[in-house]
Amino acid sequence: MDLDCGIRENSATRLPWKTVLTLAYQSLGVVYGDLSISPLYVYRSTFAEPIALTENNEEIYGVFSLVFWALTLIPLIKYVFIVLKADDNGEGGTFALYSLLCRHARVSSLHNRQLADEELSGYKKGYCNVTPERCFASRMKMALEKHKVLQKILLVLALIGTSMVIGDGVVTPSLSVLSAVSGVELSMSKEHHRYVEVPAACVILICLFALQHYGTHRVGFLFAPIIFTWLFSIGAIGVYNIFYWNPQVYVALSPYYVCRFLRKTRGAKWVSLGGILLCITGSEAMFADLGHFSQLSIKLAFTSVVYPSIVLAYMGHAAYLSKHHNIIHSYHFGFYASVPDKLRWPVLVIAILAAVVGSQAIITATFSIIKQCVALSCFPRVKVVHTSSTIHGQIYIPEINWLLMLLCLAVTIGFRNTKHLGNAAGLAVITVMLVTTILMSLVIAVCWKQRFILAFGFVAIFGTIEAVFFSASLVKFLEGAWVSIALAFVFLTVMYIWHYGTLKKYEFDVQNKVSINWLLSLSPSIGIVRVPGISLIQTDLVSGIPAIFSHFVTNLPAFHQVLVFLCIKHVPVPHVSLKERFLVGRIGPRQFRLYRCIVRYGYRNVHKDDLEFENDLVCSIAEFIRTGNSSPEFNTASPSQEPEQTQKMTVVGTCSTHTITMSEGTNNQNHTDLAETSEIQPRKRVRFVVPESPGIDDEAREELDELMEAREAGVVYITGQYYMRAKAGSSLLKKLVINVGYEFLRKNTRAAPYVPDMPHASSLEVGMVYQV
């Protein structure tokens, strides 16, 4: 099944209300778990600092007021009302903003970018409320396109945001689960508690990551009732505490108490802000998990259920604390202290379940953003399993899942307390938010073409708030915040080394490619033995002949009856439809039977299995032969190439029944999908036949017959097995990056995803050493 035919959220088609409500219900269990359980540890982390409580409750009111306005300004106003509108055809996250900028300004670092890519229907998304282009938008776009330094800074910003999301995926599950389990402090002695808390948290974390392979839709339906029950419970307890302990606590909603708190606490205010920051952890998941749901469903769930419940919980907790000033131990500031005694154990059980769910949001976001990075050559290749046949964005990455589990267990056992984990989570979250704010301001200016004052106002308001929180988090660097920076640095190094090595490899291919004139000078017969079948030469080049082909011909002067130079590339859009996916062109005279086929995927497209891919490829070439030059043509050049280096290519959709017909039969050989599809299906034998049609001339018919004969004879994949080495005289840093770092990643990651299920018996590798 082609998963691209599933639901496309946030696209032109509006989802029915039943589907929206179902997605909103599921989002409770996937998106909002982290944000919903923050009342467990926010007050405890904030009052862990030396803040003296007075009888007039100004400190408690000030903390609650800060929490309320942080929740209102960041998750509600920034994300729900602004950032979610910057979706990339239904996709969210840091790289979605980056891809939007890459499409509206030529700042992409993708190595095989073409002018023809800009003609894709999804390349530039139209915004209905966009005003005509203004001078500021033009100047900003020109500056980004002119200065390579700005382009690199933009890429590094996107990578920093991504690496911090991954780091958050390590720290947040540990914090959530450990915070929930810590509720047993009130029911047992400290000596017994320390032997229960960490082992129980580790067991829960292992179970959580073991459930991931079941998929987001199953996990969402399993977890949504838990979060709904949790939100109802904390909201009801909050209402009870408000009326029982202090009905006047609502006055703290005024920002007056924020000013009073900051002025009175002075030096301790910056430290306490690090604890208050935890109330908005999970907000970034609303945007990062957008591809799993829809804009409307995420907005509906937050505004109608999540936001009111957690505000009531924080208000009720503040009402309880306002009447309990004589606190001996720090855990008495925790949420469980405000729960009535008779409800404490039931709430503890629900809290532990909710904490497990709370970790789901960031785990799901980590899977989504890594998938985008892999497609854009910014992360080593990993196995991506699609867990739903209808929602294209619901994925599972086994390698990342188990790596996150091991790292979560390590930080849980290493820290053993929520204070240090909270500091680490806070720094990771606020860094992601700062990166989102900077990229979003550029999207407002460059993509939405709005006035300077709007773009500046966005970054000034939200950037200032987040910068204050960021400075408070850095103060706690030695108290656990260093973990987020260390994890982010490791992942950032891995991503940058992979991206740098990929660019250097492509530059070597471009510099050493063989000209088409060399191939054409070998005479019409090419002076080489032609054997039955189709040979697919896989390359990253969109023009010219790859060096591996000349190396192959030099050592074995024979190749197949039909030769196709195949380039499979990703473009900075989420999806490329099947009718726009194939660019097909001819190399040399017709009798050579040499073709170039460029297959374009979006960063959220699903690669098909080998047989289905082969059928689509043969269909596209057949349709190209039938239509001749009647279809729109594009050149294969990148914007920097010279005109004489370009070739004319044609966009080809699915083949017409006037071109070829297919009859299917099932082969008993089992077909196991090793890449991105999750279903196992039997292999099918497809026979192609050219029908009698007066619309096909004799030359085209002869070419089609030969193509069908070659397809029946079989398809062989010729790939390059490259080994990269830094040139003699290169700096020590470059040698370490290329010879050690990149080569280690290349040898220990999956092969290039040209055809996900390529049969080993039908493949041939040509080895080469690249000196870069």
Side-chain angles (χ1 to χ4, degrees):
M1 176 181 289
D2 185 3
L3 301 184
D4 296 331
C5 296
I7 296 175
R8 298 284 180 83
E9 290 80 12
N10 305 345
S11 60
T13 58
R14 184 178 296 274
L15 297 176
W17 272 104
K18 183 178 179 180
T19 304
V20 171
L21 292 175
T22 301
L23 291 174
Y25 174 75
Q26 286 182 311
S27 70
L28 290 175
V30 176
V31 178
Y32 294 113
D34 188 16
L35 194 60
S36 300
I37 63 170
S38 58
L40 287 175
Y41 44 77
V42 168
Y43 282 144
R44 179 173 179 172
S45 298
T46 303
F47 287 105
E49 308 305 332
I51 300 177
L53 301 182
T54 57
E55 291 299 324
N56 59 9
N57 292 316
E58 285 189 350
E59 296 79 15
I60 294 172
Y61 285 1
V63 169
F64 168 65
S65 188
L66 276 168
V67 168
F68 171 76
W69 286 106
L71 284 169
T72 303
L73 291 173
I74 304 298
L76 184 63
I77 296 178
K78 176 188 171 182
Y79 279 95
V80 171
F81 292 123
I82 302 176
V83 175
L84 285 181
K85 294 182 180 180
D87 68 297
D88 187 12
N89 293 335
E91 306 301 332
T94 305
F95 258 82
L97 295 176
Y98 179 69
S99 70
L100 274 177
L101 291 170
C102 289
R103 296 208 307 275
H104 288 79
R106 290 177 180 170
V107 296
S108 174
S109 59
L110 292 178
H111 45 267
N112 48 12
R113 186 164 50 95
Q114 298 171 267
L115 294 173
D117 297 338
E118 299 181 10
E119 302 299 326
L120 291 168
S121 58
Y123 199 84
K124 288 192 177 180
K125 179 179 177 181
Y127 295 92
C128 56
N129 295 325
V130 173
T131 55
E133 189 168 357
R134 294 180 171 85
C135 294
F136 173 68
S138 300
R139 290 198 302 269
M140 179 66 70
K141 179 180 176 181
M142 290 174 61
L144 291 173
E145 293 177 344
K146 180 179 179 181
H147 300 288
K148 295 292 183 182
V149 174
L150 294 179
Q151 297 176 20
K152 290 183 178 180
I153 291 175
L154 202 61
L155 174 64
V156 170
L157 270 177
L159 294 181
I160 289 175
T162 301
S163 60
M164 280 296 183
V165 169
I166 302 173
D168 193 21
V170 173
V171 178
T172 295
S174 302
L175 173 63
S176 301
V177 173
L178 204 58
S179 297
V181 176
S182 65
V184 298
E185 285 177 321
L186 299 176
S187 304
M188 64 174 59
S189 64
K190 188 174 183 180
E191 289 74 16
H192 292 98
H193 172 258
R194 63 180 181 178
Y195 294 111
V196 173
E197 185 178 35
V198 175
C202 291
V203 171
I204 292 171
L205 285 170
I206 293 172
C207 294
L208 170 66
F209 285 100
L211 287 173
Q212 295 305 311
H213 73 279
Y214 288 106
T216 305
H217 61 297
R218 294 186 182 93
V219 172
F221 269 113
L222 176 65
F223 286 172
I226 297 173
I227 290 298
F228 186 82
T229 305
W230 168 250
L231 288 171
F232 175 79
S233 300
I234 63 175
I237 291 172
V239 172
Y240 168 81
N241 285 331
I242 291 170
F243 285 98
Y244 187 82
W245 295 111
N246 187 358
Q248 302 301 317
V249 72
Y250 69 89
V251 299
L253 295 175
S254 171
Y256 164 79
Y257 287 94
V258 174
C259 300
R260 291 280 300 173
F261 174 78
L262 296 178
R263 185 167 60 250
K264 186 174 183 179
T265 55
R266 295 184 181 180
K269 65 185 177 183
W270 297 108
V271 183
S272 63
L273 286 177
I276 294 168
L277 167 64
L278 297 177
C279 74
I280 57 176
T281 56
S283 303
E284 73 284 358
M286 285 193 286
F287 190 46
D289 290 338
L290 186 58
H292 294 250
F293 302 99
S294 67
Q295 271 193 39
L296 185 57
S297 64
I298 289 179
K299 291 178 179 180
L300 182 64
F302 182 79
T303 55
S304 62
V305 179
V306 179
Y307 180 75
S309 299
I310 58 179
V311 168
L312 287 173
Y314 283 117
M315 186 183 293
H317 196 175
Y320 171 84
L321 292 177
S322 67
K323 300 300 181 181
H324 296 80
H325 292 175
N326 298 323
I327 293 176
I328 301 174
H329 300 291
S330 62
Y331 59 77
H332 287 124
F333 283 108
F335 175 77
Y336 292 110
S338 67
V339 178
D341 293 338
K342 294 181 179 179
L343 298 177
R344 188 164 294 158
W345 277 103
V347 170
L348 175 63
V349 173
I350 299 173
I352 292 175
L353 295 175
V356 174
V357 181
S359 308
Q360 183 62 42
I362 193 62
I363 295 172
T364 304
T366 302
F367 290 161
S368 296
I369 203 164
I370 286 179
K371 170 67 166 59
Q372 297 175 15
C373 292
V374 170
L376 297 178
S377 301
C378 291
F379 198 88
R381 293 178 290 266
V382 291
K383 178 180 180 179
V384 178
V385 178
H386 284 259
T387 58
S388 173
S389 59
T390 55
I391 309 296
H392 64 275
Q394 296 186 356
I395 60 175
Y396 164 68
I397 304 178
E399 295 97 328
I400 300 300
N401 183 66
W402 301 122
L403 177 62
L404 288 179
M405 186 192 75
L406 293 176
L407 292 174
C408 280
L409 294 175
V411 297
T412 302
I413 297 172
F415 282 124
R416 296 173 175 263
N417 68 80
T418 56
K419 178 182 177 181
H420 291 84
L421 288 174
N423 295 339
L427 181 60
V429 168
I430 200 61
T431 304
V432 175
M433 290 181 178
L434 265 175
V435 170
T436 301
T437 298
I438 295 170
L439 294 179
M440 187 64 206
S441 64
L442 293 175
V443 168
I444 292 174
V446 177
C447 304
W448 293 357
K449 299 180 176 63
Q450 296 297 325
R451 294 185 178 89
F452 167 78
I453 189 65
L454 294 178
F456 177 78
F458 180 86
V459 74
I461 295 173
F462 296 108
T464 300
I465 296 172
E466 290 160 0
V468 171
F469 281 125
F470 182 75
S471 65
S473 297
L474 285 180
V475 171
K476 300 183 178 182
F477 177 82
L478 297 178
E479 299 178 28
W482 63 269
V483 173
S484 291
I485 296 179
L487 289 171
F489 178 78
V490 171
F491 285 110
L492 179 63
T493 302
V494 169
M495 288 189 288
Y496 200 84
I497 287 176
W498 184 261
H499 184 71
Y500 177 78
T502 303
L503 287 179
K504 288 300 179 182
K505 175 185 173 295
Y506 181 74
E507 290 174 3
F508 180 90
D509 284 337
V510 171
Q511 293 168 3
N512 293 274
K513 67 182 179 181
V514 180
S515 67
I516 297 175
N517 293 331
W518 169 83
L519 183 62
L520 301 182
S521 67
L522 296 179
S523 80
S525 64
I526 311 186
I528 294 174
V529 178
R530 307 292 289 269
V531 297
I534 297 177
S535 179
L536 300 180
I537 309 291
Q538 297 174 3
T539 176
D540 288 333
L541 296 176
V542 294
S543 64
I545 308 299
I548 61 168
F549 177 70
S550 61
H551 187 64
F552 171 73
V553 171
T554 302
N555 291 275
L556 183 64
F559 56 84
H560 291 84
Q561 179 181 0
V562 175
L563 181 65
V564 181
F565 291 98
L566 177 65
C567 173
I568 297 182
K569 54 180 282 189
H570 287 85
V571 292
V573 296
H575 309 279
V576 177
S577 64
L578 190 59
K579 66 181 180 181
E580 296 181 305
R581 185 163 298 167
F582 293 91
L583 270 174
V584 183
R586 196 188 305 277
I587 300 177
R590 194 170 203 164
Q591 62 269 25
F592 278 23
R593 304 297 189 253
L594 302 179
Y595 307 94
R596 182 183 304 280
C597 185
I598 300 173
V599 187
R600 302 176 292 183
Y601 285 97
Y603 57 78
R604 296 304 292 271
N605 273 127
V606 181
H607 290 209
K608 299 181 179 180
D609 58 58
D610 65 310
L611 187 60
E612 195 172 356
F613 177 83
E614 289 173 11
N615 295 340
D616 286 343
L617 180 64
V618 172
C619 281
S620 66
I621 296 174
E623 187 71 8
F624 168 77
I625 295 171
R626 184 185 71 86
T627 57
N629 295 326
S630 60
S631 300
E633 292 185 341
F634 303 95
N635 64 55
T636 62
S638 67
S640 60
Q641 282 183 295
E642 297 296 330
E644 59 269 15
Q645 294 177 303
T646 67
Q647 294 171 260
K648 293 296 182 181
M649 306 286 288
T650 302
V651 177
V652 180
T654 54
C655 61
S656 166
T657 55
H658 297 294
T659 309
I660 57 176
T661 57
M662 296 180 289
S663 59
E664 296 182 353
T666 302
N667 192 335
N668 292 329
Q669 179 184 356
N670 290 331
H671 172 246
T672 304
D673 185 357
L674 298 179
E676 297 184 357
T677 56
S678 59
E679 299 178 357
I680 298 178
Q681 301 174 347
R683 292 181 66 85
K684 294 179 179 180
R685 178 71 175 175
V686 181
R687 183 177 179 83
F688 295 88
V689 179
V690 182
E692 294 294 333
S693 174
I696 303 177
D697 59 41
D698 293 338
E699 284 189 350
R701 178 172 295 279
E702 180 183 355
E703 192 172 0
L704 285 171
D705 287 333
E706 193 169 339
L707 178 65
M708 297 307 104
E709 291 174 5
R711 175 64 180 86
E712 290 298 316
V715 178
V716 174
Y717 300 86
I718 300 178
T719 61
Q721 183 65 27
Y722 58 90
Y723 303 89
M724 290 185 60
R725 293 289 182 270
K727 292 180 180 178
S730 300
S731 65
L732 178 61
L733 179 60
K734 184 176 181 179
K735 289 179 180 179
L736 288 175
V737 169
I738 298 297
N739 298 351
V740 180
Y742 184 79
E743 276 299 294
F744 174 81
L745 294 174
R746 184 190 64 80
K747 291 176 182 178
N748 292 278
T749 54
R750 294 178 177 268
Y754 288 112
V755 181
D757 205 14
M758 183 174 64
H760 294 290
S762 302
S763 62
L764 177 65
E765 290 187 348
V766 180
M768 289 191 67
V769 177
Y770 285 26
Q771 296 285 341
V772 297

